[in-house]
Structures are given as structure tokens and as C-alpha cells.
Amino acid sequence: MVVTVPKTLDAASLVGFAERLEASEKHVVLVGGDEAFCLGLSLEGEPGDAVGPFVRAVRALRTGPPSVAFVDGVARGAGVGLAAACDLVVASARADFALTEAWFGLWPAAIHPLLVERMRPAAVRRGVITGQSWDAQAALELGLVDERAESLAAAEAFGVASRRASGEAIRAYKAATAPLDEVAAGAKVTAERLRDPEVRRRIAAFAEGFAPWA
């Protein structure tokens, strides 16, 4: 089942996205649109409203059938987290990952447990502090990406390889090993930070076309 990740994550799009993930009985392949894999939480409206539905989507990925993220474009913030939540991450030459939350006075609290499962904590820390971007090869070397490919073939191959396993066993294993409590706790931190006046100022400045970090 191919599921398109919303370009930006607001409450409404995340609820629909989570529902599609929860409805899947076979392996899931996450793909982005033409312009990006996912740009992270929407900065319009009340970003805090999206935090709960985001946790729901992560829970569906981490307790559901085998999942693959095919990243063929830009992934930022929570978009990186959705990819990291998958069982396999495949990236094309167009992939570009970055953790830019600190630019807005935040830090990736909700997705941090997912990132440190895949990457060295020091690499995550550097990414958070600098907001540097990683191309597919750099992300592969850091452990964020599992394979490089230019098509969905690798994602489909993973689904075929998983068919022998009991779906119930896979779900039980994934649920037992998923850091969902930590993700939920981090989401609460993010929701609190989004109420901070300085964070609101930075978000508003960015929405008006200014660089709040300048």
C-alpha cells in the first residue's frame, strides 16, 4: 500500500494520514509529492494542534505492518521523523534531510527517540544544533538511510521479503520495541514550546518572509 505523506503536517492532514496507516493490513510504502517528501509541521494556524495526530501516525507506523519510506526529495523536521519511524528508509539522489527545529526555538523532542535508534547520538546532536543538511550518501553513512535507490523497487522488495513472517508476530515485535512513551513525552515538550512567546515570534517572522535567525 502506497501512502503519500502530506507536504506539510497540520492537524487535519495528519489525522487523515494516520487513518490510512491504521487501515493498512499489508506493508506500507511512504512517498512524498513532486516537490518534497515532507517539510515537517505546518507553521500556519496552531502548530500545536498537529502534535497529537503526529504521535498517532508514528504509533501506526511503529505498531503496524512492515513500513518503508522512499525519500525522493526534501525531508525536514517531523518529516525526517516519519521516515525514521519506518522499518526501512530508501533514499534517492534527490533526498535531502535536515533538522531545522532549533531555527524556530524548538528542538526535535518528539522524533529524537526515533533518530537515536538509527544514528549516533553525537550525529543527531550536531544535526540539531547546526541544522545542516544530509544528502542520501551522508544519511546512509550516518544510519538514517538503509539503502540508496532511484525507484520504489527496493521498497517493494522489502515487502516481498517480509511475506513469510506472521503479520501478528511482526506487529507484536514492533510494538514491544517501539519507543512510543518517549515519543509521546517528547510531543508534550514540543506542544509546550510552541506556546513560548519567542517561538511564536520566530514562527510569525518566518511566515511573513523574514529569517527569524538573522
Side-chain angles (χ1 to χ4, degrees), residues 4-178:
T4 301
V5 183
K7 182 179 178 181
T8 56
L9 306 172
D10 58 20
S13 66
L14 275 167
V15 168
F17 177 62
E19 288 175 346
R20 290 192 293 275
L21 295 177
E22 291 166 348
S24 177
E25 297 181 356
K26 297 183 179 180
H27 81 282
V28 173
V29 179
L30 299 189
V31 298
D34 294 334
E35 299 179 12
F37 176 75
C38 179
L39 298 179
L41 289 182
S42 172
L43 298 181
E44 299 179 357
E46 294 294 331
D49 293 344
V51 172
F54 177 78
V55 173
R56 179 180 171 185
V58 170
R59 183 179 299 276
L61 287 170
R62 290 307 302 264
T63 61
S67 57
V68 183
F70 178 60
V71 182
D72 185 35
V74 173
R76 294 288 182 266
V80 178
L82 288 176
C86 291
D87 303 313
L88 185 77
V89 180
V90 179
S92 76
R94 296 203 310 160
D96 185 272
F97 303 84
L99 304 170
T100 54
E101 289 90 340
W103 296 356
F104 301 96
L106 303 166
W107 64 280
I111 66 173
H112 192 265
L114 305 170
L115 297 172
V116 296
E117 281 187 316
R118 290 181 159 275
M119 304 167 63
R120 300 187 311 276
V124 177
R125 183 166 64 250
R126 180 177 180 181
V128 171
I129 292 172
T130 65
Q132 70 184 97
S133 63
W134 300 305
D135 62 17
Q137 185 59 36
L140 179 68
E141 294 170 358
L142 290 171
L144 179 57
V145 166
D146 299 296
E147 297 182 22
R148 290 190 58 184
E150 301 306 313
S151 73
L152 288 174
E156 294 298 332
F158 182 71
V160 171
S162 69
R163 288 177 184 171
R164 292 184 180 181
S166 159
E168 182 180 355
I170 290 174
R171 286 178 170 83
Y173 165 70
K174 291 178 63 173
T177 58

Side-chain angles (χ1 to χ4, degrees), residues 158-200:
F158 182 71
V160 171
S162 69
R163 288 177 184 171
R164 292 184 180 181
S166 159
E168 182 180 355
I170 290 174
R171 286 178 170 83
Y173 165 70
K174 291 178 63 173
T177 58
L180 295 177
D181 289 344
E182 293 91 335
V183 170
K188 290 182 179 179
V189 171
T190 297
E192 291 172 0
R193 289 292 301 153
L194 283 166
R195 292 192 288 267
D196 183 273
E198 173 61 13
V199 173
R200 303 298 297 174

